[in-house]
């Protein structure tokens, strides 16, 4: 290797990086490996000198195929000063982006890091970082980056012009809009049109927290030309309706899914409904958003072919339109939007003159978007609840069938079998499944009369909140939805709620107030070494008094079962799935210790 590739000064600098010989070998091997691919020693040395998470050499992140002639280290340090300790991983990420994204140094140099919060800075970096994980096609990668770099000056200027408490909302909105957009050509043409709307949505009428921005990007991605301009002019009152509907993250996810599918399949109707029936639209797309992706696309494709959406309503005479609406409502079991006197006129039991007919027809036609949305809901419920006919039994039953429609993984089969059994009267049949019985045989210390019943009770010191194991299976499935966690309907781990129901080694404890409202919940389980594993209590905002009640309940339950509570210093626990295929383990509750 020529001496010009690795100087004595650079070798000395590598040696000075760590007193740990193992770390020195990692750094040196990385530098030599990069040199073999034509990456300069100077560039690799900068990467090695930048801080890393947990002070680990992280050689996998330092091994690269290209280098940058310019890495603005001083600006990376400014960036890190804003990000704080939790943002240390961005140092080497920014170093790498300087090489893989030509011009990235400009983002580092020109960003006013000092005026941003750590969260704003984190979002800002996410907006301008493009990785091969996102775009494995080199041409698409390069095109995406060119568009984002071109956006940088205007977005940066606009963010700085906003009040400080609105910058995080703006940054979150940009990340949601840009990072989910695969086609660089349409991104390039759309963002200047949508930017004024995004700025308007950061105004004082709207909350500082970004909530409805997912709805914006889910619709805009399917709109072009005049449609996109029409969308960008949507009024503030409509967006406030969307914000209110999207206050809970899981519901916002369902709305986003529904809007994405509706706008993809029927863009003109989506815009019309947004303008004239925003509240019913939010309710409808939240329901349809429960359908898993492929089912949802098929649903919208089929719905678009029904008379509700295939009919050229605007081309029909007004009275003929009203007659068709009335007939379709009867066919779909929907309430008629026709005024009473117009219905009587069509039935021949009353008479309206021309002016009256025109007025009543205008009222009916104005209601058409809401009725079309009601028709979509009726079609969706037919698909969601058709196999079970449980929707009208209770709120929890309605939730359960929607959860089944939403899950697309291995637990869907277990939930379907449970719901079919429930509909046939076998409410607790899953408890008697051979695999659950086998688990009790293998764990004979576990008394089912205690573990699977609600005999044990605890309450807060003032007696206002009472805790018990939940035995209603439909209520168990709501453990995530009640508290807005990732196990709820629309949550990324919603499948895990099925495991909490059907597996004999898992139970759900609810804390309810005097009216029966759930104020907190906890998942508990028995591991293979017969220890009680207590998981986090949700929501995280629950009061200290309720947390203390959960601690007392867990301790009393363990004592009643004759089991130890799993502690931090014990050997790792193993909580198996039994009837479920998968479940999410979000870690033990350390406070129980």
């Amino acid at each position: 290797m020529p001496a010009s590739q690795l100087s004595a000064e650079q070798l000395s600098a590598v040696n000075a990086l760590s007193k740990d010989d193992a770390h020195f070998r990692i750094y040196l091997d990385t530098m030599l490996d990069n040199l073999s691919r034509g990456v300069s020693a100077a560039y690799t040395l900068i990467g090695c000198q930048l801080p890393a998470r947990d002070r680990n050499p992280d050689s996998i992140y330092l091994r690269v195929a290209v280098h940058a002639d310019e890495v603005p280290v001083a600006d990376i340090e400014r960036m890190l000063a804003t990000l704080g300790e939790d943002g240390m991983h961005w140092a080497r990420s920014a170093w790498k982006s300087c090489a893989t994204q030509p011009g990235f140094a400009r983002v580092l140099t020109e960003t006013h890091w000092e005026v941003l919060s750590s969260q704003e800075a984190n979002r800002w970096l996410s907006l301008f970082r493009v990785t091969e994980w996102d775009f494995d096609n080199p041409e698409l990668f390069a095109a995406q980056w060119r568009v984002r770099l071109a956006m940088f000056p205007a977005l940066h200027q606009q963010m700085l012009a906003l009040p400080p408490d609105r910058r995080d909302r703006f940054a979150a909105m940009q990340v949601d809009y840009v990072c989910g957009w695969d086609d660089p050509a349409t991104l390039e043409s759309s963002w200047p049109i949508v930017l004024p709307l995004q700025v308007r949505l950061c105004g004082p009428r709207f909350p500082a927290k970004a909530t409805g921005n997912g709805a914006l990007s889910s619709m805009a991605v399917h709109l072009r030309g005049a449609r996109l301009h029409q969308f960008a002019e949507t009024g503030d009152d409509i967006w406030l309706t969307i914000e209110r509907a999207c206050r809970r993250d899981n519901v916002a996810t369902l709305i986003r899914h529904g809007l994405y599918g509706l706008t993809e399949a029927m863009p003109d109707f989506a815009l019309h409904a947004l303008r004239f029936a925003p509240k019913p639209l939010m309710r409808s797309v939240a329901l349809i958003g429960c359908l898993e992706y492929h089912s949802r696309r098929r649903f919208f494709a089929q719905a678009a072919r029904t008379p509700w959406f295939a009919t050229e309503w605007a081309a029909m005479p007004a009275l003929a339109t009203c007659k068709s609406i009335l007939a379709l409502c009867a066919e779909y079991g929907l309430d008629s939007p026709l005024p009473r006197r117009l219905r009587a006129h069509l039935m021949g039991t009353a008479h309206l003159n021309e002016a009256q007919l025109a007025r009543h027809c205008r009222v009916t036609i104005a209601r058409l978007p809401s009725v079309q949305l009601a028709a979509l809901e009726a079609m969706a419920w037919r698909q969601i609840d058709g196999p079970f006919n449980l929707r009208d039994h209770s709120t929890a039953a309605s939730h359960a069938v929607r959860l089944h429609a939403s899950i697309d993984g291995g637990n869907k089969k277990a939930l379907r079998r449970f719901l079919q059994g429930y509909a046939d009267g076998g409410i607790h049949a899953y408890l008697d499944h051979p695999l659950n019985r086998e688990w009790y045989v293998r764990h004979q210390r576990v008394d089912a009369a205690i573990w699977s019943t609600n005999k044990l009770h605890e309450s807060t010191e003032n007696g206002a909140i009472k805790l018990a194991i939940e035995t209603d299976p439909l209520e168990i499935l709501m453990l995530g939805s009640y508290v807005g966690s990732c196990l709820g309907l629309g949550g990324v781990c919603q499948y895990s709620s099925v495991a909490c129901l059907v597996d004999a080694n898992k139970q759900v404890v609810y804390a309810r107030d005097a009216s029966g409202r759930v104020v907190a919940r906890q998942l508990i389980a028995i591991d293979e070494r017969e220890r009680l594993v207590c998981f986090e209590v949700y929501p995280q905002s629950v009061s200290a008094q309720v947390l203390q009640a959960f601690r007392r309940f867990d301790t009393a339950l363990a004592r009643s079962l004759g089991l130890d509570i799993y502690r931090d210093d014990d050997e790792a626990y193993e909580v198996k799935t039994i009837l479920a295929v998968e479940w999410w383990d979000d870690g033990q509750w350390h406070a129980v210790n």
Side-chain angles (χ1 to χ4, degrees):
M1 180 179 67
S4 60
Q5 288 188 298
L6 180 60
S7 68
E9 291 81 4
Q10 289 168 336
L11 189 59
S12 176
V14 172
N15 184 57
L17 288 171
S18 174
K19 295 180 180 179
D20 188 317
D21 289 346
H23 286 187
F24 170 75
R25 285 193 296 271
I26 290 173
Y27 287 130
L28 184 59
D29 288 347
T30 300
M31 184 167 285
L32 295 174
D33 190 38
N34 284 351
L35 279 169
S36 71
R37 289 189 293 272
V39 177
S40 72
Y43 176 73
T44 303
L45 180 59
I46 292 174
C48 293
Q49 290 171 329
L50 289 170
R53 193 194 312 240
D54 301 326
R55 312 303 178 191
N56 191 298
D58 283 334
S59 64
I60 189 172
Y61 299 107
L62 293 170
R63 296 179 190 274
V64 293
V66 292
H67 67 247
D69 294 327
E70 178 191 6
V71 179
V73 175
D75 295 306
I76 291 177
E77 290 173 349
R78 288 194 304 118
M79 174 193 79
L80 293 176
T82 293
L83 288 167
E85 188 68 27
D86 291 340
M88 287 297 139
H89 63 283
W90 278 112
R92 289 180 178 173
S93 174
W95 164 81
K96 184 177 180 180
S97 291
C98 286
T100 59
Q101 299 171 232
F104 189 82
R106 181 183 178 188
V107 174
L108 297 172
T109 301
E110 297 183 15
T111 296
H112 290 206
W113 300 109
E114 293 79 6
V115 302
L116 302 182
S117 69
S118 60
Q119 182 163 288
E120 291 160 4
N122 188 73
R123 294 193 201 277
W124 192 245
L125 286 163
S126 298
L127 175 61
F128 293 104
R129 181 172 180 248
V130 183
T131 73
E132 59 273 16
W133 297 105
D134 302 315
F135 303 98
D136 54 6
N137 180 302
E139 293 182 3
L140 187 59
F141 178 102
Q144 271 282 339
W145 169 236
R146 281 196 299 271
V147 173
R148 295 194 199 185
L149 183 59
M151 296 170 68
F152 168 74
L155 296 185
H156 185 252
Q157 180 181 13
Q158 187 56 67
M159 183 170 67
L160 294 181
L162 290 169
D165 67 333
R166 299 288 153 158
R167 290 172 184 159
D168 187 54
R169 178 180 172 88
F170 181 79
M173 206 172 284
Q174 298 308 319
V175 170
D176 190 87
Y177 189 83
V178 173
C179 295
W181 205 296
D182 292 334
D183 179 23
T186 55
L187 174 61
E188 185 174 29
S189 62
S190 73
W191 77 267
I193 299 171
V194 175
L195 181 59
L197 169 62
Q198 294 171 322
V199 173
R200 179 156 51 90
L201 296 183
C202 292
R205 290 193 68 189
F206 296 89
K209 179 187 176 185
T211 50
N213 53 300
L216 190 158
S217 57
S218 295
M219 296 188 73
V221 71
H222 297 302
L223 301 174
R224 307 285 181 269
R227 288 171 175 160
L228 186 61
H229 281 280
Q230 178 186 341
F231 176 70
E233 294 169 1
T234 302
D236 287 0
D237 288 342
I238 292 174
W239 283 107
L240 286 169
T241 298
I242 295 173
E243 292 277 349
R244 285 190 290 269
C246 294
R247 280 175 297 188
R248 299 193 75 170
D249 289 345
N250 289 347
V251 176
T253 296
L254 298 176
I255 288 174
R256 184 168 69 245
H257 290 167
L259 283 175
Y260 183 96
L262 178 63
T263 313
E264 179 184 37
M266 297 179 272
D268 290 326
F269 173 71
L271 289 172
H272 192 66
L274 181 66
R275 181 179 178 186
F276 294 105
K279 193 171 181 178
L281 175 63
M282 294 300 103
R283 184 187 63 240
S284 298
V285 294
L287 173 64
I288 301 166
C290 294
L291 296 170
E292 65 87 21
Y293 176 73
H294 297 291
S295 298
R296 190 165 61 246
R297 292 197 75 190
R298 288 193 297 269
F299 171 83
F300 279 122
Q302 293 164 1
R305 295 192 291 268
T306 65
W308 284 109
F309 303 99
T311 301
E312 293 289 341
W313 296 106
M316 293 176 64
L319 189 58
T321 296
C322 294
K323 289 179 179 178
S324 295
I325 292 172
L326 184 62
L328 283 171
C329 285
E331 179 183 345
Y332 280 74
L334 303 177
D335 292 336
S336 168
L338 277 68
R340 178 181 57 80
R341 293 189 65 199
L342 179 57
R343 294 198 305 271
H345 175 87
L346 294 176
M347 293 171 62
T349 59
H351 176 75
L352 298 175
N353 61 37
E354 290 299 317
Q356 290 171 326
L357 271 176
R359 185 172 67 252
H360 283 71
C361 286
R362 284 196 300 271
V363 170
T364 300
I365 292 171
R367 294 170 178 172
L368 178 58
S370 295
V371 183
Q372 289 173 295
L373 290 168
L376 275 178
E377 289 185 42
M379 288 183 266
W381 275 119
R382 197 177 304 155
Q383 181 166 333
I384 291 169
D385 192 38
F388 314 112
N389 196 28
L390 290 172
R391 167 197 170 192
D392 294 330
H393 286 211
S394 65
T395 299
S398 169
H399 172 273
V401 295
R402 284 179 287 146
L403 183 66
H404 172 265
S406 189
I407 292 174
D408 62 356
N411 285 354
K412 190 180 188 76
K413 183 177 180 180
L415 182 54
R416 181 171 63 251
R417 286 180 171 176
F418 159 73
L419 290 172
Q420 288 169 340
Y422 191 98
D424 293 337
I427 296 176
H428 294 99
Y430 63 97
L431 295 176
D432 200 40
H433 191 282
L435 292 178
N436 276 333
R437 291 204 310 268
E438 180 185 325
W439 182 83
Y440 276 109
V441 170
R442 288 189 290 106
H443 300 280
Q444 294 191 14
R445 290 180 62 196
V446 180
D447 186 347
I450 298 174
W451 176 242
S452 62
T453 66
N454 58 4
K455 292 180 179 179
L456 183 66
H457 294 269
E458 184 57 73
S459 62
T460 52
E461 291 181 354
N462 61 7
I465 308 294
K466 299 189 182 301
L467 284 67
I469 289 175
E470 182 57 57
T471 57
D472 182 330
L474 298 179
E475 287 288 314
I476 292 171
L477 288 171
M478 294 189 71
L479 83 159
S481 296
Y482 272 137
V483 298
S485 77
C486 64
L487 272 65
L489 178 61
V492 67
C493 298
Q494 59 182 357
Y495 63 86
S496 194
S497 62
V498 181
C500 300
L501 168 67
V502 300
D503 287 350
N505 60 349
K506 303 174 183 72
Q507 298 291 348
V508 174
V509 182
Y510 281 140
R512 296 180 183 268
D513 63 16
S515 67
R517 183 179 64 91
V518 171
V519 297
R521 65 88 171 157
Q522 181 185 40
L523 172 65
I524 54 177
I526 295 175
D527 80 338
E528 288 304 287
R529 297 185 62 188
E530 298 183 347
R531 296 170 296 185
L532 181 65
V533 184
C534 306
F535 295 94
E536 288 285 343
V537 175
Y538 288 90
Q540 294 179 337
S541 59
V542 70
S543 70
Q545 189 180 50
V546 173
L547 291 176
Q548 290 167 4
F550 272 102
R551 275 194 288 269
R552 291 195 300 270
F553 182 90
D554 294 342
T555 302
L557 178 61
R559 188 183 305 116
S560 297
L561 291 167
L563 304 179
D564 292 330
I565 292 180
Y566 175 82
R567 305 292 180 181
D568 288 337
D569 54 355
D570 291 346
E571 285 189 31
Y573 59 81
E574 180 186 10
V575 177
K576 288 196 171 184
T577 54
I578 302 174
L579 296 185
V581 174
E582 53 189 345
W583 80 291
W584 173 252
D585 177 354
D586 65 352
Q588 65 150 147
W589 185 35
H590 296 287
V592 78
N593 294 322

